[in-house]
């Protein structure tokens, strides 16, 4: 599995998300400033609500731009067993029900699912609970995270 290809998919998805956020911010701004939405009394809050929405969408767009910059600078390295799992590792995990999953550990802002061939790859950051738990682990090690009602346990099958 090609990490560079996965990185390009993340950047493409982030670019799509950015376009949507920018469009939503523009529409909310237009709604907030449209002459029909000028408040006639203190209970008329449509313009104010739209302004809050425009601000939120603008912040979302800026967060996506920052994530894109992080992903552009990101250079995944080959797996080094001496260092264990680190940012850029592509990890195959198996849970207690023998269900396998592929995890690509990347910079923040790229939490998404991608398709590579016939495999589904979950992209997470080292800030996510599973990402933190995997750092430094090697093939054959156990990884566990505490979910709301139960503790989930995984075995590291393979790392690239």
């Amino acid at each position: 599995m090609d990490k560079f290809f996965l990185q390009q998919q993340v950047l493409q998805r982030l670019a799509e998300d950015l376009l949507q956020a920018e469009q939503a911010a523009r529409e909310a701004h237009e709604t907030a400033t449209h002459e029909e939405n000028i408040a006639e009394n203190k209970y008329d809050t449509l313009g104010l609500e739209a302004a809050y929405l425009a601000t939120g969408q603008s912040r979302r767009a800026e967060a996506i731009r920052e994530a894109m910059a992080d992903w552009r600078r990101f250079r995944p390295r080959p797996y080094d067993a001496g260092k264990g799992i680190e940012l850029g590792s592509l990890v195959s995990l198996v849970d207690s029900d023998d269900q396998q999953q592929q995890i690509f550990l990347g910079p923040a802002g790229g939490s998404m699912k991608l398709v590579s061939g016939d495999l589904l790859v979950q992209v997470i950051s080292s800030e996510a609970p599973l990402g933190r738990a995997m750092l430094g682990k090697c093939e054959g090690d156990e990884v566990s995270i505490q979910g709301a009602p139960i503790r989930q346990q995984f075995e590291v099958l393979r790392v690239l």
Side-chain angles (χ1 to χ4, degrees):
M1 193 170 314
D2 185 358
K3 294 180 193 182
F4 178 75
F5 176 69
L6 292 174
Q7 181 180 12
Q8 295 308 308
Q9 282 187 331
V10 169
L11 284 166
Q12 180 180 354
R13 184 86 60 86
L14 287 171
E16 292 166 3
D17 291 349
L18 179 60
L19 286 175
Q20 289 177 347
E22 288 173 337
Q23 178 64 29
R26 276 191 300 278
E27 289 174 6
H29 178 73
E30 289 170 8
T31 300
T33 58
H34 194 276
E35 65 185 38
E36 290 181 6
N37 294 326
I38 296 173
E40 295 177 5
N41 60 49
K42 68 180 181 177
Y43 302 107
D44 192 0
T45 61
L46 181 62
L48 180 62
E49 292 167 6
Y52 282 130
L53 181 59
T55 299
Q57 291 294 352
S58 294
R59 287 182 182 149
R60 179 173 173 256
E62 184 56 34
I64 294 170
R65 280 187 207 93
E66 290 173 13
M68 288 177 73
D70 290 344
W71 276 91
R72 283 187 188 111
R73 287 189 299 270
F74 178 54
R75 298 291 178 257
R77 295 184 301 262
Y79 173 63
D80 178 351
K83 293 181 180 179
I85 295 172
E86 59 185 349
L87 200 61
S89 293
L90 182 58
V91 183
S92 180
L93 298 174
V94 63
D95 65 16
S96 57
D97 296 327
D98 286 333
Q99 296 295 314
Q100 288 190 28
Q101 59 181 313
Q102 310 303 313
I103 306 290
F104 184 41
L105 198 57
S111 181
M112 61 187 68
K113 290 184 180 179
L114 304 174
V115 176
S116 179
D118 59 346
L119 292 176
L120 188 63
V121 179
Q122 176 70 49
V123 181
I124 63 173
S125 77
S126 59
E127 318 260 321
L130 181 57
R132 273 194 312 270
M134 288 191 311
L135 290 174
K137 303 287 187 183
C138 297
E139 291 178 357
D141 286 350
E142 273 196 10
V143 175
S144 64
I145 56 172
Q146 182 66 44
I150 60 166
R151 176 172 287 281
Q152 292 180 293
Q153 294 204 224
F154 305 92
E155 179 185 344
V156 178
L157 293 179
R158 186 176 57 256
V159 185
L160 300 174

